[in-house]
Amino acid sequence: MDDGTIVVPRLIERKRDGGALAPAEWRALIAAYVADRVPDYQMAALAMAVVFRGLSEEELVALTAAMRTSGDQFHLEDLRVAGIGPMARVDKHSIGGVGDKTSLLLAPMLACLGVAVPMISGRGLGHTGGTLDKLEAIPGFNTRLSLAAARRQLERIGVVMVGQTPELVPADRKLYALRDVTGTVESIPLIAASIMSKKLAESLTGLVLDIKTGSGAFIQDPAQSLVLGQTMIGLGEASGCRTIALCTAMDRPLGSACGNALEVREAIAGLRGGGPADLMEVTFALGADMLVAAGITADRAVARGAVEGVIRSGAALDRFRLMVEAQGGDPRAVDDPERLPRAPVSRPVTTASAGVVVAVPPRPIGHAIVSLGGGRMQADQAVDWSVGVELSCVPGQRVAAGDRLATVHARTEADAASAVAAIGRAIIIGERAAPLALISHRITREGIDVLT
Amino acid sequence: MDDGTIVVPRLIERKRDGGALAPAEWRALIAAYVADRVPDYQMAALAMAVVFRGLSEEELVALTAAMRTSGDQFHLEDLRVAGIGPMARVDKHSIGGVGDKTSLLLAPMLACLGVAVPMISGRGLGHTGGTLDKLEAIPGFNTRLSLAAARRQLERIGVVMVGQTPELVPADRKLYALRDVTGTVESIPLIAASIMSKKLAESLTGLVLDIKTGSGAFIQDPAQSLVLGQTMIGLGEASGCRTIALCTAMDRPLGSACGNALEVREAIAGLRGGGPADLMEVTFALGADMLVAAGITADRAVARGAVEGVIRSGAALDRFRLMVEAQGGDPRAVDDPERLPRAPVSRPVTTASAGVVVAVPPRPIGHAIVSLGGGRMQADQAVDWSVGVELSCVPGQRVAAGDRLATVHARTEADAASAVAAIGRAIIIGERAAPLALISHRITREGIDVLT
C-alpha cells in the first residue's frame, strides 16, 4: 500500500538492511494494517526482518503505542471504587506455564488493599493453561464482559477478570495470528510489544510480570528471559506504568493441581490459607510487588505483610466470592468445591523404583492435560474443565517403590491409562535433583537483583 | 498448510534458525504454493528468512528444479532444425541494463551457426529496458507465441524470440510478484533460482549470462555480481547446461541508442556491421561464448571468428529478417528503418562547459525514458516505442562548450524539455573519467578469469 505517507516495501527493505522506522511510520503502518490496507504478506516479511534485526528502543515504544491505540482502550483514569478514587490500577501478567493459578488469588487479594485490578486474561494454548479457562470451570462464570460492564463491576467491587474484547488492541490480535503461522513468534521485541500493548490498554498505573524460566517456559534461555523482562519494563515505564518483573521457576508446575477445575480448587484452598508452599510463596511475592508497583508502599516487607494479611483475615476469599457472584458464577462453589466439575475416572501414577524425584517436567504434563481434553492445540478448541493431573511429588523429594507420584483425572479409563503412562514416563526418578530456585530474579527500572 | 508431508511454519522456523529444507520439502512447498495451498504470507516470511540465511547448494538446486518443473516446460530435447538434429540449444540472459540490445543481434547470429536459439525474454521495468518491448517496436511483431508455435518456428528457422507463457514456470511468476512487494528481491540465491528456473525450462544445452556491473546494474556491488554469476553457473552445470558468464560494464548505457525503436535501429545497424564499437565488442564476446557453451568449439578465437563472420556475410541480418517475418513483423522495416516508429519531437542536450565526459549514468537516462513514455514503473503500463535518447558522447571523451551530448526523442515539446534537463543534469563533465572495463570478468565452472 502507498497512501502517500508510507510505501511498505521501502519500510521492509529499510528494516531488512538494519535501519529503523520512524515513530510516525510505525503508527501509519499499524493503522493501515488494522484497516486491511497492508496485506498480511508484507507484514509477515517485515516481522521476519524484525526477528533478525530487532527494534530500536524508539521503534519498540512507537510500535507498542501504535498497537495499544489500534482500537478501543479500557479507560480507567477517573475510576472510583465504591465512591473512592481515582485510584491505583494494577495487574499481573505471566508469560505462561502449567499449574499457574496465581491470578485467581492475586486479583481479589489486591482489590482488598485499596487498588483496582482490571485483569484481562487469555486462554490456554499448547502445554500452557489460561486464566479464562480456569475461571469458566466455575459454573456460570462469565468472562465475556463488555468494557462498560467490566468498568461497572470495577467501580462496585474493585476487581474484574475478563477476556480481551474484539475492540481492544485489534492490531495485536491480527499480528499475533499472523506471527503464529509465519515463524515470527520468537522475537523479544515483538513478544514485548504484544504483551505490553494489551496491558497498557488497561490504563494501568502498575504492573507485575511473572517471567517463567526453565523447560516449561515459553522462553527457555534464562538470559533471554531477563532481556524480555527488561524490555517490557522499559515499555511500561515509558508509558508511566510502574513495572516490576519476577523470574519464577517453570521447570516443574506451580503447586500440585494442573487442570482447570483442579486449579480453581487449589486457588480457593490458597485463598483459605491452605495452598501448597510454592504456590503461596510465588503468590505473596507477586502480590507484594503489585502493591509496590501500585505505589501503596515502597517497603516490600510491609507489602508482603499486607498481602499475607488479606489471606489470613479471609478478606481475599470474600472478595473472590463477591467477584464470582458479580460475574454470574455460582458463589456456593467457592465454599463447596464439590460443585466444581469433577472427572469420573481417577487413577494413580506410581513409581516402580525408589529414589529422588529428579524432574517433574511441565511440558509433558501440559500435553497430557491437552490429550485428556483439558487444553487445546488450536485456539478454537473447547476444553473439558474437569480433567487434569494432581501431583503428589516435587523435585528433590525421596520416594519408595510403589509411591504415588500423581493422580490423573480423566473422562474415560482409556484416557486415564494413556495419561498415566505419559506422566509415568515424564516424571524422572534418579539420584540427585537440581530444581531451579523458585524465584530467581527481580527486575525493576533500576536493574536486576539476583534473589538466590 | 499441512498436507501430511510439510508443515510450513516449521519449515520457516528451521530456515530462520539457519537450518536447511530437504529437496523433497522444497518440492512439496513450491507445488503447494503454485496450487494456492500455501498462503503468500508464509512464503513472504520464508523468503525474508532466506534473505538473511541464504540457501545451501543442495537447497538451491532443489528450489530451482521445483520452480522449473512447476508448470509446462519448453521441451526441445528432440528438436530438429530444417530436418537436421537434435542440436545444441543456447540462449543468452542479461541481468538488465540501459541500451542493451545484444539479444536482437545474438539470436539470429547464433542461429546461422548451427545452434538453435529458443530465446524467452522479458519486458522493461524501472530504469531497465526489455527485449520484448524492443521487438514489438517492429510493426506487427508478435512475441506472444504458444510453446507449440514457437517450436514450429524453431524447427523451420532455428530462432524464436518470445515472451514467457503463463504455463511456463508459474512458481517464479507468483514468487517474483510477491518478492517485488515484500523487500525480498535482493537475495542472490532467490535471484539465481528465479533466472535459472526460467532458462532451464527452455531445455538448453548452453547458456551465456551477461552480468552487468556498475551504477546502472541491478546489483551494484562487484563482488556480489561475481557471486551471482558463480551461483547461476553452478545451477546451470548441475542441470547439464554448459553455462558461462561475462561481467560487462553498466556504468554507462551500452551503445548509443536508448529507447525501444531507437535500439532496434542500432541493432539492425549492428547486424549490418555498423554498430557502435562497445555494442559490437560485447555482442561478439557473448556470441563467441554462446558458441563455446553450445559445444561447437572450445577455441574462443575460432568462435569469435565465426560470429564476426555471420555479420560480415550478411547471414545474421537475413536470419533476423526471416524471424521478423515469421513472427508477423514487417520485414521491410529491417531494410528501411523509417518504417519504425519515430517520435515527433527531437531536441539536443548540449554541454555548457568544456571538459571530459566523466559519467553517463544509465539510471537517470533509463528514468528519463520512462518519463518520456518509453518504459514502465509498473508491470502493466503500456510503452511508446518511438521515444528515447540517443547519446553522442561516451565517458572519457573530450567535449567543448556547446557540444551535443545527446538527442532526446519525445512526444511533446514539454516532455522533451524535461528530459533534456534531466539528461543535462545526469551527464557529468569534469576533468578525468574512470569508466569500468567493458568486459571485466569471464566466469566458468572452472573459475573466474579477470579480463582487464
Side-chain angles (χ1 to χ4, degrees):
Chain A
M1 69 74 76
D2 173 4
D3 65 355
T5 54
I6 54 169
V7 181
V8 179
R10 297 300 90 70
L11 300 185
I12 299 170
E13 287 162 9
R14 200 190 313 151
K15 177 47 64 186
R16 177 196 72 194
D17 296 340
L21 277 58
E25 290 173 328
W26 281 112
R27 273 196 297 278
L29 180 71
I30 293 298
Y33 183 55
V34 170
D36 293 328
R37 286 184 289 113
V38 168
D40 278 335
Y41 52 78
Q42 291 184 326
M43 199 50 103
L46 180 64
M48 185 59 85
V50 171
V51 166
F52 282 94
R53 294 294 192 179
L55 293 177
S56 74
E57 210 172 298
E58 186 185 48
E59 284 187 287
L60 185 57
V61 169
L63 170 60
T64 305
M67 287 167 63
R68 172 167 61 86
T69 58
S70 63
D72 289 348
Q73 294 186 63
F74 199 7
H75 285 296
L76 299 170
E77 291 79 0
D78 58 345
L79 181 75
R80 297 166 68 89
V81 175
I84 301 158
M87 66 200 312
R89 301 169 297 278
V90 294
D91 194 358
K92 187 265 321 181
H93 181 82
S94 162
I95 310 299
V98 176
D100 180 3
K101 67 283 290 176
T102 58
S103 291
L104 275 59
L105 290 96
L106 288 166
M109 284 164 70
L110 271 289
C112 296
L113 291 165
V115 297
V117 187
M119 193 177 272
I120 300 181
S121 303
R123 296 191 179 277
L125 189 62
H127 76 282
T128 64
T131 297
L132 296 183
D133 296 321
K134 295 169 199 183
L135 289 168
E136 290 174 357
I138 300 166
F141 197 101
N142 177 19
T143 61
R144 299 171 194 269
L145 270 54
S146 68
L147 291 181
R151 181 177 167 121
R152 282 194 299 274
Q153 179 174 327
L154 265 182
E155 285 168 344
R156 204 156 55 78
I157 63 170
V159 58
V160 68
M161 298 181 81
V162 292
Q164 206 185 334
T165 69
E167 297 76 25
L168 205 72
V169 199
D172 177 66
R173 185 174 301 100
K174 199 173 167 192
L175 184 55
Y176 192 86
L178 179 67
R179 287 169 55 213
D180 191 41
V181 292
T182 55
T184 51
V185 167
E186 286 83 353
S187 157
I188 295 282
L190 294 181
I191 294 167
S194 170
I195 294 171
M196 294 304 289
S197 64
K198 284 180 289 194
K199 290 291 127 184
L200 295 173
E202 298 171 8
S203 53
L204 301 176
T205 61
L207 173 64
V208 172
L209 301 165
D210 182 0
I211 300 185
K212 302 296 188 187
T213 59
S215 66
F218 174 61
I219 295 175
Q220 292 176 51
D221 174 0
Q224 290 289 89
S225 300
L226 297 179
V227 173
L228 176 61
Q230 289 186 299
T231 304
M232 291 197 289
I233 287 166
L235 283 171
E237 300 283 349
S239 284
C241 173
R242 183 75 207 279
T243 309
I244 300 169
L246 295 179
C247 295
T248 71
M250 191 42 69
D251 57 339
R252 69 279 188 179
L254 183 64
S256 306
C258 306
N260 299 296
L262 295 169
E263 294 190 42
V264 172
R265 254 172 246 260
E266 189 168 271
I268 292 170
L271 286 166
R272 293 185 187 282
D278 61 343
L279 171 63
M280 297 316 288
E281 178 56 35
V282 170
T283 299
F284 289 141
L286 292 169
D289 269 327
M290 288 172 80
L291 218 46
V292 172
I296 303 293
T297 173
D299 184 327
R300 286 167 67 211
V302 169
R304 171 79 178 229
V307 292
E308 288 185 2
V310 295
I311 294 290
R312 210 166 29 240
S313 69
L317 182 68
D318 290 345
R319 194 67 61 109
F320 182 73
R321 194 185 296 107
L322 219 52
M323 180 184 73
V324 169
E325 193 162 18
Q327 295 192 227
D330 182 353
R332 294 172 301 175
V334 177
D335 302 296
D336 177 11
E338 291 311 306
R339 290 179 179 271
L340 293 170
R342 182 178 277 282
V345 179
S346 295
R347 292 291 171 265
V349 180
T350 56
T351 173
S353 52
V356 168
V357 177
V358 173
V360 185
R363 277 176 194 266
I365 293 170
H367 286 133
I369 295 170
V370 172
S371 297
L372 288 167
R376 56 173 77 77
M377 293 311 286
Q378 271 105 40
D380 54 355
Q381 280 177 277
V383 303
D384 181 334
W385 299 298
S386 72
V387 301
V389 177
E390 276 180 294
L391 297 168
S392 315
C393 65
V394 294
Q397 182 179 328
R398 184 160 288 281
V399 291
D403 275 3
R404 181 186 292 233
L405 301 176
T407 306
V408 166
H409 299 274
R411 284 184 289 211
T412 65
E413 288 287 352
D415 282 1
S418 65
V420 164
I423 289 167
R425 276 193 306 272
I427 298 178
I428 297 172
I429 308 297
E431 296 192 356
R432 244 187 317 275
L436 294 178
L438 186 61
I439 306 177
S440 61
H441 298 81
R442 180 173 184 263
I443 319 177
T444 66
R445 61 190 173 197
E446 283 85 27
I448 300 178
D449 288 333
V450 180
L451 301 180
T452 52
Chain B
M1 68 79 74
D2 172 5
D3 65 355
T5 53
I6 55 169
V7 181
V8 179
R10 296 300 89 74
L11 300 186
I12 299 170
E13 288 163 8
R14 200 192 310 154
K15 176 49 64 186
R16 177 196 71 194
D17 296 340
L21 278 57
E25 290 173 329
W26 280 114
R27 274 196 296 278
L29 180 72
I30 293 298
Y33 182 55
V34 169
D36 292 329
R37 286 184 289 112
V38 168
D40 279 334
Y41 52 80
Q42 290 184 327
M43 198 52 104
L46 180 64
M48 185 59 84
V50 171
V51 166
F52 282 94
R53 295 294 193 178
L55 294 177
S56 74
E57 210 171 299
E58 186 185 49
E59 284 187 288
L60 184 57
V61 169
L63 170 60
T64 306
M67 287 168 63
R68 173 166 61 86
T69 57
S70 62
D72 289 349
Q73 293 185 66
F74 199 7
H75 285 295
L76 299 170
E77 291 78 0
D78 57 346
L79 181 76
R80 299 166 67 89
V81 175
I84 301 159
M87 66 199 313
R89 302 169 297 279
V90 294
D91 194 359
K92 187 266 320 180
H93 181 82
S94 162
I95 310 299
V98 176
D100 181 2
K101 67 282 290 176
T102 58
S103 291
L104 275 59
L105 291 95
L106 289 166
M109 284 164 69
L110 271 290
C112 297
L113 291 165
V115 298
V117 187
M119 193 177 273
I120 300 181
S121 302
R123 297 190 179 277
L125 189 62
H127 75 283
T128 64
T131 297
L132 296 184
D133 297 320
K134 295 169 198 182
L135 289 168
E136 289 174 358
I138 301 167
F141 197 102
N142 177 19
T143 61
R144 297 169 194 270
L145 271 55
S146 68
L147 291 182
R151 181 178 169 121
R152 283 194 299 275
Q153 178 175 325
L154 265 182
E155 286 168 343
R156 203 154 57 77
I157 62 171
V159 58
V160 69
M161 298 181 81
V162 292
Q164 204 186 336
T165 69
E167 297 76 25
L168 205 72
V169 198
D172 177 66
R173 185 175 302 101
K174 198 173 169 191
L175 184 55
Y176 192 86
L178 179 66
R179 287 169 55 214
D180 191 41
V181 293
T182 56
T184 50
V185 167
E186 286 81 355
S187 157
I188 295 281
L190 294 182
I191 295 167
S194 170
I195 293 171
M196 294 304 289
S197 63
K198 285 179 289 194
K199 289 292 125 183
L200 296 173
E202 297 171 9
S203 54
L204 301 176
T205 59
L207 173 65
V208 172
L209 301 165
D210 181 0
I211 300 185
K212 302 296 187 187
T213 60
S215 66
F218 175 59
I219 294 175
Q220 291 175 52
D221 174 359
Q224 290 290 89
S225 300
L226 297 179
V227 173
L228 176 61
Q230 290 186 298
T231 304
M232 292 196 290
I233 287 166
L235 283 172
E237 299 284 350
S239 284
C241 173
R242 184 74 207 278
T243 308
I244 301 170
L246 296 179
C247 295
T248 71
M250 191 42 68
D251 57 339
R252 70 278 188 180
L254 183 63
S256 307
C258 306
N260 299 297
L262 295 168
E263 294 191 43
V264 171
R265 257 171 243 258
E266 190 168 272
I268 292 170
L271 286 165
R272 292 187 187 280
D278 62 341
L279 171 63
M280 298 315 289
E281 178 55 34
V282 170
T283 299
F284 289 142
L286 291 169
D289 269 328
M290 287 172 80
L291 218 47
V292 171
I296 303 293
T297 172
D299 184 326
R300 286 165 66 210
V302 168
R304 172 79 179 227
V307 292
E308 288 184 3
V310 294
I311 294 291
R312 211 166 29 241
S313 69
L317 182 68
D318 290 345
R319 192 68 60 109
F320 183 73
R321 195 185 295 106
L322 218 53
M323 178 183 74
V324 168
E325 192 162 18
Q327 295 192 227
D330 182 354
R332 294 171 302 174
V334 175
D335 302 296
D336 177 11
E338 291 311 307
R339 291 181 179 271
L340 293 170
R342 181 178 278 282
V345 180
S346 296
R347 292 291 172 263
V349 181
T350 57
T351 173
S353 53
V356 168
V357 177
V358 173
V360 185
R363 275 175 197 267
I365 294 170
H367 286 132
I369 294 169
V370 172
S371 297
L372 288 167
R376 55 173 77 77
M377 294 310 288
Q378 271 103 41
D380 54 354
Q381 279 178 277
V383 303
D384 181 334
W385 300 299
S386 71
V387 301
V389 177
E390 278 180 292
L391 297 168
S392 315
C393 66
V394 294
Q397 182 179 327
R398 185 160 286 282
V399 290
D403 275 4
R404 182 187 291 235
L405 302 176
T407 306
V408 166
H409 299 274
R411 285 185 290 211
T412 66
E413 288 286 354
D415 282 2
S418 65
V420 164
I423 288 166
R425 276 194 305 273
I427 298 178
I428 297 171
I429 309 297
E431 297 190 353
R432 245 188 317 276
L436 295 177
L438 185 61
I439 306 177
S440 61
H441 298 81
R442 180 172 185 264
I443 319 177
T444 65
R445 60 189 173 199
E446 283 85 25
I448 300 177
D449 288 333
V450 180
L451 302 180
T452 53

